[in-house]
Amino acid sequence: MNIKVLFFASCRDLIGSSEREMTLPDGATVTDLISRLASEQARFTDMAPSLMVSINQAYAERDAELQDGDEVAFIPPVSGG
Amino acid sequence: MAADVYKIQNEEIKPDALYNAVLADSDGAVTTFAGVVRDNTKGRGTSYLVYDAYRDMAEKKMREIGDEVKEKWEVDCVGILHRIGRLEIGEISVLIAISSPHRKASLEACHYAIDRLKQTVPIWKKEVWTDGGEAWIEGDPSALASR
């Protein structure tokens, strides 16, 4: 399946881009996506525990299964206001 | 015709426009809150701020806050604006305006709305200090437990 992954703020700086198209095996979860990114960028492993994840603009848990066409975002602790 | 407003914008925030947008003839109160760029953080001089947002989700979460407010208090309309991009000292970063028939509801609702915004809405602030340093500011992750 193909998904769109968005990165913001400190996470975008670490990954080096704001948006990526990624291909994952069917049945992959948020945790699988995190493992894939960590394998490419080791420091993502350190950052991941502090990140929230959203799927199609709703906060999601780590065990949530991804679907083809999903928009997934990594959300550092928010600091609006 | 009064209406709810939930918007992320690059343009300067104009308080009068939001105030007028939420106000109807049947209202007896409007409470507004403006968050403003301060010139220091714990004594370290701030040069300017840069705000970034996950725009679509942020507007959706702001609407959810408005819906929560309407469940908890007898309010009329809710307006929430947040600016992104570069903001100078003294400029408004966030503006909330809530109208209600009676003052207590909008006063309490406005306080709740800004607290929730700081917990759930995907917006980030980068501080650029006068000493040349800069960093993305991270909120309290535990706050999201009650998202």
Side-chain angles (χ1 to χ4, degrees):
Chain A
M1 66 176 155
N2 297 305
I3 59 170
K4 182 160 85 171
V5 188
L6 306 178
F7 307 97
F8 293 95
S10 55
C11 184
R12 179 180 53 211
D13 290 350
L14 176 68
I15 296 292
S17 65
S18 57
E19 182 177 330
R20 284 183 56 180
E21 304 289 334
M22 295 182 67
T23 301
L24 292 172
D26 287 349
T29 64
V30 169
T31 298
D32 296 327
L33 172 60
I34 290 171
S35 300
R36 169 75 68 84
L37 289 164
S39 71
E40 298 174 9
Q41 167 57 270
R43 287 199 296 147
F44 189 75
T45 309
D46 302 326
M47 180 181 276
S50 70
L51 300 173
M52 293 294 300
V53 176
S54 68
I55 301 175
N56 301 325
Q57 302 170 11
Y59 287 114
E61 302 298 334
R62 291 293 199 265
D63 59 1
E65 264 192 37
L66 302 172
Q67 309 290 331
D68 188 55
D70 277 351
E71 178 178 288
V72 181
F74 287 99
I75 299 180
V78 303
S79 54
Chain B
M1 180 70 183
D4 295 331
V5 180
Y6 306 102
K7 192 160 177 265
I8 301 290
Q9 63 181 55
N10 289 87
E11 303 77 29
E12 182 185 353
I13 290 177
K14 304 264 177 56
D16 286 1
L18 190 65
Y19 175 93
N20 289 324
V22 301
L23 181 59
D25 287 349
S26 56
D27 292 321
V30 179
T31 298
T32 60
F33 170 83
V36 178
V37 180
R38 184 174 44 226
D39 70 357
N40 77 92
T41 300
K42 294 173 181 155
R44 188 177 184 185
T46 299
S47 181
Y48 61 92
L49 301 181
V50 179
Y51 282 94
D52 184 26
Y54 182 5
R55 186 185 286 250
D56 291 347
M57 182 171 171
E59 290 180 348
K60 188 184 272 188
K61 299 306 284 187
M62 294 194 301
R63 180 173 297 278
E64 286 178 17
I65 292 170
D67 292 344
E68 288 172 26
V69 159
K70 289 180 177 197
E71 277 177 27
K72 291 173 186 284
W73 290 278
E74 195 179 321
V75 301
D76 179 23
C77 288
V78 177
I80 307 177
L81 301 177
H82 204 299
R83 192 169 162 199
I84 56 173
R86 174 173 168 157
L87 276 74
E88 309 298 333
I89 307 301
E91 291 190 314
I92 296 173
S93 56
V94 59
L95 185 71
I96 298 176
I98 300 180
S99 57
S100 57
H102 303 285
R103 70 182 183 282
K104 190 162 187 272
S106 68
L107 281 165
E108 293 180 359
C110 193
H111 192 171
Y112 175 86
I114 184 60
D115 286 351
R116 287 297 279 162
L117 182 142
K118 285 171 168 282
Q119 293 170 341
T120 69
V121 181
I123 299 173
W124 301 271
K125 170 172 70 177
K126 178 189 272 187
E127 295 215 18
V128 180
W129 292 290
T130 51
D131 60 19
E134 62 174 59
W136 286 106
I137 304 304
E138 300 200 337
D140 178 4
S142 64
L144 270 171
S146 59
R147 69 185 185 273

